Amino acid sequence: MNLEELTGLPPGATDHFRGEGIEELYPPQAEAVEAGATDGENLVAAVPTASGKTMIAALSMLSVIQRGGKALYIVPLRALASEKKEEFEAYEEFGVTVGVTTGNYESTDDWLATKDIIVATSEKVDSLVRNGADWLSELTCVVSDEVHLIDDRNRGPTLEVTLAKLRRLNPGMQVVALSATVGNADEIADWLDAALVDTDWRPIDLQMGVHYGNALNFDDGSTREVPVEGSEKQEAALVRDILREGGSSLVFVNSRRNAEGAAKRLGQVSSREITEDERAELADLADEIRDDSDTETSADLADCVERGAAFHHAGLSSTQRSLVEDAFRDRLLKVISATPTLAAGVNTPARRVIVRDWRRFDPSAGGMAPLDVLEVHQMMGRAGRPGLDPYGEAVLLAKSHDESEELFDRYIWADPEPVRSKLAAEPALRTHVLATIASGFARTRGGLLEFLEATLYASQSSEAGRLESVTDDVLDYLERNDFIERERDSSSDEADGSDDGPFTSAADLAEQQAAKREETLEATSLGHSVSRLYLDPMSAAEIVHGLERADERPTALGLYQLVSRTPDMYELYLRSGEDEKFGELFYERQTELLGDAPSEYEEDRFEDWLAALKTGKLLEDWAEETEEETITDRYKIGPGDLRGKVDTAEWLLGAAESLAAEIDSEWTVAVREARARVEHGVGEELLELVSVGGVGRKRARRLYDAGIEEPADLRTADKGVVLSVLKGEKTAENILENAGREDPSMDGVEPAGIDVDGADTGDSNGGDEAAAARTESDDSQSSLGDF
């Protein structure tokens, strides 16, 4: 199908796509148009990576916009939201407006009402529904990218419920679901009342095979010799082989440590294949990575990058991940060793993908377990980029002939597993049941069950009564913790088993069951708050109970440990020997901890308590201004992990502050101060200083030590002292202006010559002021204080 055959798009859209080099649609795209994608029909497109799924979404969205509608594009990851926003912003040249929203789960983002295309994560869309964003009712098309992630135990239920709610809000709305090839795409299509495009077509050939010995054997029966030289590893031989052809490689491994180790080794291979110009660019890129964070992980990554290699995992900061991904797409970096997080949708294709580790540790299995076929196929689908690679190769590694045959059977020739809903798990249901009641989607037990019966789980379930039973358990939990109120009548009590005898007639039983379905459900004020705050109700219960049982003002550590033991905080685990270390800390500071500690004889519960204490101690170290490098080394984590813990703690403590006000707790101010300290990474005495734009944790400490203890002091302090502390005229001027100084100019000012400990790091509290403050060449390094 040629572009000229498309109708119903905004004027200029066809010219735009032609300018992108698109003259005709790929077969899956043409099939989607024929199935009604541009006519407002529901569609499920289950096609391989790099086969044009985004174009299917674009045509659907642009056609509804031309008809006066509004489109929502749901992604699973924030990084993917940024990528898609950048891609869709190109449509602004022909009048289509684009907005993106990911964080701040308490906002309705009303400014998005004016946008034609909105890009958001599923969690953000769920929060918008909970908070009653009016513009959601104006949606005429929703695209769900990577919809197979409904199968994900953690994030899948949110996507599933969100789609069900959007369909109820907008009964005539078009739904376009994009997926990798899965084993039951027809079930997803049936659930969404959608046409199905299910194909394995790709724009360039993908060869899948297994490397064993010195041979690479492919699924089509062909063989390629890739000898392993001396003591080198298989992946090194495969990377060297494809680099000499001018191609790049992705190597998937099963842990962060393995990713870092592989990158160091593979850098020895890639360094021999880079030009002098590339070497200079890589040196600049390495400097950017070092400037982002002063940790050992950053230094190791920068060292690898200088050699044309990199590692990629969740322990990196978002800036570092973006730098690595962009450089790899530009083919400046030649090889990345990564954990499977890189396969989850971000556009990072390579000519050769090597799946080195096809097993990983699974606690539920008690050891190493094989990866799912779908996950391995997602990795393998990264092989080959149209326009740059003549083909793509995806390779598994075998150590024996038997293992080679096993890998062909297990992955190469196998179909992906079916997508199965995870909604009936109680942790997922308690969150979404409360939100469904609080947002008014269900006002009775029967209405709640009716809503849940519109989910994928209900369409897949063969276990009669399972969903109803779990739902009743969740309702009991929510009622016990004062999140909802239920109004029952006598007949519903009898239906619950409180009748006087066993001789109830069938008619009476039916009447009792009907009455039970009609019992009313209403969220309490506390329940509404929990839903709006986007908390797991169990997290809220933990926080509320901890605050209610505090006899004296909680300390920062007590509050940090409290939020660390909630389900919403992914706590650090105890390493070997740390149970004794943190057990001692527990006995030293147990009076600070909120709530009832388990007995040390309750081994599992006590270990969880200590793991939360370890996480809380990390947060306390950060709030006591311990250096980022010291913290990452002390707790054996990456800079991205630290930033993730700090961000999550800030969010949870902000929610705790709201909950404290809701229950009239006398400890609201203590919670607020603990949140501010973890947000800025400072002691209590610096909280006023870091409120000034451009002043972060390190600058605040140096100002304080120089006698400038509050913002008012910046308005009267000797400018020479300020210049000595802040080390940069432009930086000093910006900060004095932000503090409200009448004349912030540093013209003619000489440094006072005072001794100020520590090098300037250019930390700031973000925003435009931070960008301005970093313009000084001697102030260019950023740290966690920037976030």
Side-chain angles (χ1 to χ4, degrees):
M1 179 180 287
N2 294 324
L3 281 179
E4 287 74 13
E5 298 177 59
L6 294 173
T7 59
L9 300 180
T14 301
D15 291 339
H16 167 78
F17 290 128
R18 189 178 291 107
E20 296 289 311
I22 301 171
E23 292 293 339
E24 61 179 352
L25 300 184
Y26 288 157
Q29 296 165 347
E31 189 177 343
V33 171
E34 291 166 359
T38 55
D39 297 322
E41 298 294 330
N42 292 349
L43 179 76
V44 171
V47 298
T49 301
S51 297
K53 290 195 292 288
T54 302
M55 182 66 167
I56 294 173
L59 294 175
S60 302
M61 294 190 296
L62 292 174
S63 63
V64 302
I65 291 166
Q66 179 61 13
R67 294 192 295 269
K70 179 189 289 288
L72 172 66
Y73 192 100
I74 302 176
V75 294
L77 303 170
R78 291 190 183 191
L80 196 54
S82 299
E83 182 180 300
K84 293 303 178 185
K85 175 178 180 284
E86 184 176 339
E87 185 174 344
F88 297 148
E89 278 180 335
Y91 304 160
E92 292 182 352
E93 69 183 47
F94 52 87
V96 173
T97 56
V98 179
V100 64
T101 178
T102 52
N104 191 1
Y105 293 145
E106 298 174 61
S107 166
T108 57
D109 287 348
D110 292 337
W111 63 276
L112 291 170
T114 63
K115 301 298 181 181
D116 297 316
I117 296 176
I118 296 133
V119 183
T121 59
S122 54
E123 288 81 7
K124 177 60 182 180
V125 180
D126 185 26
S127 75
L128 289 167
V129 174
R130 297 185 189 199
N131 285 281
D134 291 335
W135 57 266
L136 288 175
S137 61
E138 300 170 10
L139 293 174
T140 49
C141 175
V142 61
V143 177
S144 178
D145 200 359
E146 310 286 347
V147 74
H148 54 272
L149 291 177
I150 281 178
D151 194 80
D152 184 89
R153 180 171 306 282
N154 297 312
R155 309 184 77 177
T158 296
L159 176 57
E160 181 179 349
V161 170
T162 298
L163 287 175
K165 287 181 178 178
L166 289 176
R167 294 182 74 199
R168 174 168 287 199
L169 273 175
N170 307 287
M173 180 183 66
Q174 179 185 19
V175 178
V176 177
L178 310 177
S179 172
T181 303
V182 295
N184 63 335
D186 55 335
E187 285 188 20
I188 299 174
D190 288 344
W191 170 51
L192 295 174
D193 302 313
L196 174 63
V197 175
D198 190 1
T199 177
D200 58 3
W201 183 91
R202 284 175 53 98
I204 59 175
D205 289 337
L206 172 63
Q207 292 182 293
M208 297 191 293
V210 176
H211 185 269
Y212 165 57
N214 291 322
L216 182 49
N217 300 301
F218 292 107
D219 52 346
D220 63 0
S222 63
T223 300
R224 173 172 179 161
E225 185 179 5
V226 183
V228 179
E229 297 176 355
S231 60
E232 75 176 343
K233 294 185 177 292
Q234 286 173 279
E235 62 268 26
L238 288 160
V239 168
R240 172 174 45 79
D241 174 69
I242 208 70
L243 277 177
R244 289 177 179 173
E245 251 191 32
S248 58
S249 297
L250 274 175
V251 180
F252 285 105
V253 297
N254 60 9
S255 71
R256 298 182 186 184
R257 181 178 296 179
N258 284 340
E260 294 177 12
K264 291 176 184 177
R265 291 191 300 272
L266 294 171
Q268 299 172 15
V269 177
S270 59
S271 64
R272 297 194 290 268
E273 306 296 333
I274 54 180
T275 66
E276 288 305 311
D277 287 345
E278 287 175 331
R279 203 175 298 277
E281 287 187 68
L282 288 166
D284 291 341
L285 178 62
D287 287 342
E288 286 189 71
I289 290 169
R290 292 189 181 98
D291 286 346
D292 177 67
S293 172
D294 57 354
T295 62
E296 183 179 352
T297 300
S298 300
D300 289 345
L301 177 60
D303 290 345
C304 291
V305 163
E306 287 179 326
R307 299 180 178 90
F311 52 85
H312 187 291
H313 56 57
L316 302 184
S317 72
S318 58
T319 299
Q320 291 168 350
R321 289 197 296 270
S322 294
L323 289 170
V324 167
E325 290 161 12
D326 290 344
F328 187 70
R329 280 192 286 266
D330 293 340
R331 299 295 166 103
L332 179 59
L333 286 172
K334 309 302 180 184
V335 57
I336 294 178
S337 60
T339 54
T341 53
L342 191 59
V346 181
N347 181 26
T348 48
R351 185 171 301 178
R352 179 175 284 166
V353 168
I354 301 161
V355 183
R356 193 194 78 176
D357 300 333
W358 54 276
R359 296 185 183 93
R360 68 165 163 236
F361 182 75
D362 182 351
S364 65
M368 303 299 284
L371 299 178
D372 289 341
V373 177
L374 178 59
E375 189 170 4
V376 171
H377 282 197
Q378 281 285 93
M379 298 178 201
M380 299 173 99
R382 297 279 151 206
R385 178 200 271 183
L388 281 181
D389 296 314
Y391 60 90
E393 283 184 358
V395 184
L396 290 147
L397 308 184
K399 303 295 184 186
S400 67
H401 177 72
D402 287 346
E403 186 179 13
S404 176
E405 290 190 342
E406 179 186 358
L407 291 176
F408 268 101
D409 290 337
R410 182 184 290 276
Y411 295 114
I412 305 297
W413 291 323
D415 292 326
E417 299 84 2
V419 169
R420 306 295 301 178
S421 168
K422 302 299 188 292
L423 182 60
E426 190 169 320
L429 261 188
R430 65 176 175 248
T431 295
H432 293 294
V433 164
L434 176 59
T436 302
I437 296 169
S439 56
F441 275 88
R443 301 185 186 279
T444 65
R445 178 177 173 276
L448 175 63
L449 291 171
E450 181 183 348
F451 170 74
L452 293 174
E453 283 160 8
T455 61
L456 178 64
Y457 174 81
S459 71
Q460 290 182 329
S461 178
S462 58
E463 190 178 348
R466 161 73 174 159
L467 187 58
E468 184 171 354
S469 173
V470 178
T471 300
D472 282 336
D473 289 342
V474 168
L475 290 174
D476 289 341
Y477 175 85
L478 296 175
E479 186 179 31
R480 283 198 310 273
N481 286 281
D482 299 321
F483 297 137
I484 66 167
E485 292 176 345
R486 288 194 281 186
E487 186 176 325
R488 305 175 179 87
D489 58 28
S490 58
S491 58
S492 66
D493 288 337
E494 292 169 3
D496 284 332
S498 57
D499 52 295
D500 294 329
F503 304 110
T504 307
S505 70
D508 288 343
L509 184 60
E511 184 178 342
Q512 292 164 9
Q513 292 293 342
K516 185 177 180 182
R517 287 182 67 88
E518 290 309 309
E519 71 177 21
T520 59
L521 305 173
E522 184 176 356
T524 62
S525 177
L526 179 60
H528 277 289
S529 294
V530 172
S531 180
R532 285 195 304 269
L533 292 166
Y534 209 71
L535 282 175
D536 182 327
M538 187 173 283
S539 294
E542 190 78 34
I543 291 169
V544 167
H545 296 160
L547 292 175
E548 287 178 337
R549 296 170 190 173
D551 295 325
E552 55 187 40
R553 192 181 199 273
T555 65
L557 177 67
L559 291 166
Y560 297 154
Q561 197 263 356
L562 174 64
V563 298
S564 293
R565 63 179 196 255
T566 66
D568 282 307
M569 172 69 83
Y570 187 72
E571 64 188 25
L572 299 171
Y573 67 90
L574 295 179
R575 296 176 179 272
S576 177
E578 286 189 337
D579 52 346
E580 182 176 341
K581 173 183 175 180
F582 287 98
E584 291 177 2
L585 181 66
F586 165 69
Y587 290 115
E588 289 172 11
R589 304 185 66 177
Q590 61 180 314
T591 57
E592 298 180 52
L593 305 184
L594 306 177
D596 299 324
S599 164
E600 60 183 297
Y601 298 107
E602 301 175 84
E603 292 185 7
D604 290 342
R605 290 187 63 223
F606 190 66
E607 185 173 320
D608 286 342
W609 187 271
L610 294 184
L613 177 58
K614 177 181 177 180
T615 309
K617 187 67 177 72
L618 175 148
L619 295 169
E620 183 188 54
D621 288 351
W622 168 247
E624 290 181 345
E625 302 171 50
T626 305
E627 292 287 342
E628 183 180 358
E629 182 177 15
T630 302
I631 294 175
T632 56
D633 181 64
R634 179 178 295 166
Y635 293 93
K636 301 296 184 286
I637 59 173
D641 299 306
L642 175 56
R643 294 177 189 187
K645 293 287 182 291
V646 168
D647 287 347
T648 303
E650 182 189 346
W651 163 57
L652 286 171
L653 287 163
E657 183 182 344
S658 297
L659 293 175
E662 180 70 40
I663 63 174
D664 294 323
S665 171
E666 60 184 307
W667 311 127
T668 304
V669 173
V671 177
R672 183 181 306 137
E673 289 180 357
R675 183 203 57 75
R677 287 189 61 196
V678 84
E679 176 188 357
H680 298 287
V682 296
E684 188 176 336
E685 70 275 16
L686 299 185
L687 287 176
E688 289 191 51
L689 275 176
V690 293
S691 69
V692 177
V695 179
R697 65 199 306 248
K698 293 190 177 181
R699 286 182 185 150
R701 176 52 62 193
R702 292 201 303 274
L703 286 167
Y704 190 90
D705 290 345
I708 301 170
E709 299 182 357
E710 56 187 39
D713 295 338
L714 285 167
R715 295 192 284 273
T716 59
D718 182 277
K719 288 185 177 180
V721 173
V722 175
L723 185 59
S724 292
V725 172
L726 297 179
K727 301 181 179 180
E729 290 185 8
K730 185 65 175 175
T731 299
E733 288 177 353
N734 285 330
I735 288 175
L736 290 181
E737 182 178 356
N738 293 334
R741 186 147 182 163
E742 189 172 333
D743 176 21
S745 173
M746 284 287 167
D747 290 346
V749 176
E750 294 293 329
I754 63 172
D755 182 29
V756 181
D757 292 332
D760 190 84
T761 60
D763 58 344
S764 78
N765 60 0
D768 294 337
E769 297 88 355
R774 286 195 292 271
T775 58
E776 287 289 296
S777 60
D778 64 344
D779 243 31
S780 61
Q781 184 178 353
S782 63
S783 75
L784 186 51
D786 287 306
F787 294 85

